[in-house]
Amino acid sequence: MKSTRLEAFSDGVLAIIITIMVLELHTPEGNGFSDLVHETGLGFLSYLLSFVYVGIYWTNHHHYFQLVERVDGRVLWGNLNLLFWLSLIPMTTDWMDASNLAQVPVLVYGINLTIAAGSFGALIAMLRRRQPAGSRLNRALRTVHKSQWSMVVFGIAIAMYVVTAVLWVVPDRRVERVIADAHQ
């Protein structure tokens, strides 16, 4: 089957995702630039980061599907899987912002981005398997593509979060010694 309905649906979902994210931004109470920076600074920066990520997926999705000759039910579900993880970005972005970049919300945001990248890579792999061997898509993607490298980078970032958390699970023994000495 042709991919036009899948593309139109995906475009609509991605537009809604961006709309939800911008609606989470709060209008500053004051009228000055300092009000804008102090009241929306972190929210705007996290929105900008997430907007760029969603934009990256939209542009790449658009480019890949220009080369797709046919899709099937598996591709439809693979695309829905990608859209599911992308649809969580507004929530994880808002949580990260509302927590002032607390460790767990930032970790969950990173996991969300990692799973979205994996889902995109899986979708592209599905598309490649369903196209004829000499298709334009398969010719264009002969070499390792960026989604595999993205998974490696995201994995390293998440590992760094986990290592940092493990370092701080046990309270600093130097502080505990000082506390114990003060009580003696």
Side-chain angles (χ1 to χ4, degrees):
M1 68 183 92
K2 298 278 184 196
S3 66
T4 53
R5 290 195 65 212
L6 178 146
E7 293 174 71
F9 178 76
S10 300
D11 287 349
V13 170
L14 293 171
I16 291 168
I17 289 169
I18 288 174
T19 302
I20 290 169
M21 286 190 315
V22 77
L23 291 175
E24 293 295 325
L25 288 177
H26 303 287
T27 304
E29 296 289 325
N31 297 322
F33 283 113
S34 64
D35 298 314
L36 178 66
V37 170
H38 289 100
E39 295 180 38
T40 64
L42 181 59
F44 179 75
L45 291 176
S46 58
Y47 165 76
L48 178 62
L49 177 65
S50 293
F51 181 92
V52 168
Y53 269 109
V54 173
I56 288 168
Y57 283 107
W58 179 77
T59 56
N60 283 287
H61 192 276
H62 173 72
H63 279 94
Y64 284 119
F65 274 90
Q66 286 186 18
L67 301 178
V68 169
E69 296 172 21
R70 62 180 177 225
V71 297
D72 61 11
R74 287 185 184 184
V75 170
L76 295 177
W77 281 104
N79 192 66
L80 282 173
N81 177 55
L82 171 64
L83 294 176
F84 171 78
W85 294 106
L86 292 177
S87 73
L88 292 177
I89 289 177
M91 187 275 296
T92 58
T93 301
D94 189 46
W95 189 28
M96 185 174 67
D97 176 41
S99 73
N100 288 318
L101 303 179
Q103 190 173 18
V104 171
V106 172
L107 175 64
V108 170
Y109 180 79
I111 290 169
N112 185 190
L113 294 179
T114 303
I115 295 172
S119 297
F120 188 76
L123 175 62
I124 300 308
M126 269 185 237
L127 285 170
R128 290 186 70 190
R129 285 192 300 271
R130 276 146 184 82
Q131 305 312 300
S135 71
R136 296 184 314 154
L137 181 68
N138 283 322
R139 285 194 319 262
L141 301 178
R142 284 194 179 123
T143 60
V144 174
H145 42 93
K146 297 176 190 179
S147 64
Q148 292 170 326
W149 285 107
S150 296
M151 291 300 298
V152 170
V153 172
F154 282 134
I156 290 169
I158 288 173
M160 289 171 49
Y161 282 123
V162 171
V163 167
T164 302
V166 169
L167 287 173
W168 289 97
V169 166
V170 177
D172 194 326
R173 294 183 197 272
R174 297 170 298 173
V175 173
E176 289 181 338
R177 278 189 293 249
V178 170
I179 292 170
D181 290 345
H183 290 306
Q184 292 178 352

